Amino acid sequence: MPYQQILADARSHSNWIVDIRRQLHRFPELMYEEVMTSQLVRDTLDELGISYQSGIAETGVVATLGTGESPCVALRADMDALPIHEETDVPFRSEVDGKMHACGHDCHTAMLLGAAKLLRERESELPGTVKLLFQPAEEGGAGGKRMRDEGVLENPTVERIFGLHVWPPLPTGTIGSRTGTFLAAAGELKITIHGKGGHAAKPHYCIDPVVTSAKVITELQTIISRNLDPLDSGVVSITAIHGGEAYNVIPETVQMSGTIRALTMERLHWLQDRVRSLTTHVAAANDCTATIEFPGHAYPPTVNDGNVWGSVQDFAGELLGRDAVHEVPPVMGGEDFAFYTEQVPGCFVALGIRNEEAGCTHNVHHPLFKVDEDALPIGSALHACFAVQTLRNLSEA
């Protein structure tokens, strides 16, 4: 298998891939608002002569290469940005105040377009079909679920799926993943504590939701430390608190929000039940009431198929060197790639982008997050190698 030729071709297209990434980075769009991003994807596919369907899950695009028949594999990239104001010093920094590609989805989209270019050059050699999934709304909008539910894994049926995520802990030129659960199940949490407001000089006439909220936050910490098996993993984090407007007024309510994480859906639901019970009882003990909600979409854990990860290790080892392919522990971040792997065997892989000399050290979701762009052609090559190798394996099975 000419893996090195694929990588060499990807590197020859490096400026093209990087230019796309920088265009996307300058104009970030939040979930389900990826109008310009989707248009750039479609324009690029038109230039490459690749057919596609658009308007899936609002702004999603699905491109198709190959025979149009089985076997079929899918490659996925997410497109949305985050509501974070960029603080980097790059010349192509975000031109939209309060929005930033702080999770690398601009890189993911550019790398998949790079793979589209590589695969288009080899289309006559593909013994089956490759679907390229350009997905909206990974950041909380469950765009992967909507894409799946709207049939992107059908006609022809996708038999294997692959995804990449830029990964600051790993140096450029390396990748990492694991068999089984790689990323956590993740859900949103919203709590409202209802009390009785009044003048802060007369607290005895009030029922203070601020004090009660403080007690709730403190007690929530005991769920992980005292209710969860120390050999298990979970997260209960309150990340925002809103209550009151004036220094001398006790408010009627306090609102809190946060996240719950676990490595299985069963454990996630157990944590939700424990949060609900504990919060209700702490509020009642302080003469308050509590409303507990779990809004949005609970993401299932991202679970890698062992055989698929084994295949990735084989071709990535030849592509990058065996020492560049790492087994990594599971992390408590969530990913809606999980909605695809609930239905199709697949693998989600961390792509190293760390480069201390270039200042690429901050983690994702940080206003100073930067990417070593030398990693982008590597990502495109990995996508293309997965498609070529997996189609051959499936066609020979």
Side-chain angles (χ1 to χ4, degrees):
M1 175 63 60
Y3 298 124
Q4 290 301 326
Q5 186 58 54
I6 291 176
L7 180 57
D9 289 349
R11 284 179 168 150
S12 73
H13 301 319
S14 179
N15 290 340
W16 185 85
I17 297 167
V18 168
D19 181 65
I20 291 173
R21 183 258 167 159
R22 292 184 176 186
Q23 290 182 61
L24 294 171
H25 193 87
R26 287 171 57 224
F27 300 103
E29 297 172 301
L30 304 183
M31 62 179 181
Y32 296 120
E33 298 175 358
E34 307 94 336
V35 176
M36 292 176 60
T37 303
S38 181
Q39 186 64 59
L40 186 150
V41 168
R42 299 196 304 274
D43 290 346
T44 305
L45 293 170
D46 285 337
E47 292 172 9
L48 295 173
I50 298 173
S51 62
Y52 59 84
Q53 292 179 289
S54 60
I56 302 168
E58 298 189 33
T59 55
V61 179
V62 178
T64 305
L65 291 134
T67 66
E69 305 294 333
S70 295
C72 178
V73 300
L75 310 173
R76 174 269 200 170
D78 39 13
M79 303 188 295
D80 55 323
L82 284 158
I84 294 174
H85 186 75
E86 183 163 13
E87 297 177 10
T88 68
D89 57 359
V90 296
F92 51 90
R93 63 181 293 170
S94 171
E95 297 184 18
V96 185
D97 287 344
K99 298 180 183 179
M100 176 190 176
H101 270 294
C103 201
H105 297 184
D106 53 338
C107 300
H108 302 167
T109 300
M111 289 188 295
L112 189 53
L113 287 170
K117 189 176 182 71
L118 294 169
L119 292 169
R120 183 73 172 96
E121 296 166 351
R122 295 164 171 79
E123 187 167 18
S124 62
E125 305 169 20
L126 298 175
T129 303
V130 182
K131 291 185 180 182
L132 311 177
L133 312 183
F134 296 91
Q135 177 211 299
E138 190 279 327
E139 298 289 355
K145 183 178 187 299
R146 286 189 60 178
M147 294 277 282
R148 184 194 69 182
D149 292 348
E150 291 185 26
V152 300
L153 301 179
E154 303 164 8
N155 300 316
T157 299
V158 172
E159 297 177 51
R160 301 290 186 273
I161 189 166
F162 179 74
L164 286 172
H165 201 297
V166 293
W167 210 257
L170 291 174
T172 300
T174 68
I175 67 167
S177 195
R178 62 181 289 106
T179 295
T181 300
F182 181 23
L183 293 141
E188 189 177 345
L189 166 65
K190 182 178 179 181
I191 297 172
T192 303
I193 302 298
H194 307 270
K196 180 182 177 183
H199 201 297
K202 299 179 180 180
H204 53 297
Y205 291 135
C206 306
I207 300 174
D208 193 342
V210 176
V211 173
T212 302
S213 295
K215 293 180 180 180
V216 168
I217 293 170
T218 299
E219 290 301 318
L220 287 176
Q221 309 313 303
T222 66
I223 294 176
I224 302 302
S225 67
R226 288 296 176 266
N227 297 151
L228 190 66
D229 186 329
L231 299 179
D232 203 346
S233 297
V235 171
V236 178
S237 291
I238 299 298
T239 57
I241 310 170
H242 300 280
E245 300 292 338
Y247 80 97
N248 59 351
V249 177
I250 292 173
E252 290 280 335
T253 62
V254 171
Q255 292 184 333
M256 300 176 281
S257 58
T259 186
I260 299 178
R261 311 282 173 117
L263 294 180
T264 66
M265 288 303 290
E266 292 77 14
R267 181 59 70 200
L268 182 73
H269 293 148
W270 179 86
L271 288 172
Q272 290 174 333
D273 289 342
R274 188 73 189 105
V275 166
R276 183 182 290 107
S277 175
L278 187 149
T279 301
T280 300
H281 285 88
V282 170
N286 289 271
D287 294 327
C288 289
T289 59
T291 302
I292 302 98
E293 302 171 86
F294 304 104
H297 302 274
Y299 287 14
T302 302
V303 180
N304 286 335
D305 181 89
N307 291 329
V308 179
W309 169 228
S311 177
V312 173
Q313 288 175 293
D314 288 340
F315 73 71
E318 293 188 33
L319 192 73
L320 305 173
R322 297 294 173 184
D323 292 342
V325 181
H326 302 286
E327 289 276 345
V328 296
V331 297
M332 300 307 289
E335 239 293 341
D336 76 351
F337 187 79
F339 289 110
Y340 302 115
T341 54
E342 280 188 319
Q343 188 168 320
V344 175
C347 188
F348 195 65
V349 172
L351 176 70
I353 57 163
R354 188 176 187 84
N355 183 336
E356 284 84 357
E357 291 183 2
C360 305
T361 58
H362 289 87
N363 216 326
V364 295
H365 293 215
H366 192 285
L368 291 173
F369 170 72
K370 291 171 65 174
V371 170
D372 182 0
E373 293 177 327
D374 286 346
L376 301 189
I378 297 173
S380 292
L382 288 166
H383 272 303
C385 288
F386 178 86
V388 171
Q389 182 61 58
T390 305
L391 282 181
R392 290 190 178 184
N393 291 344
L394 292 170
S395 64
E396 293 171 0

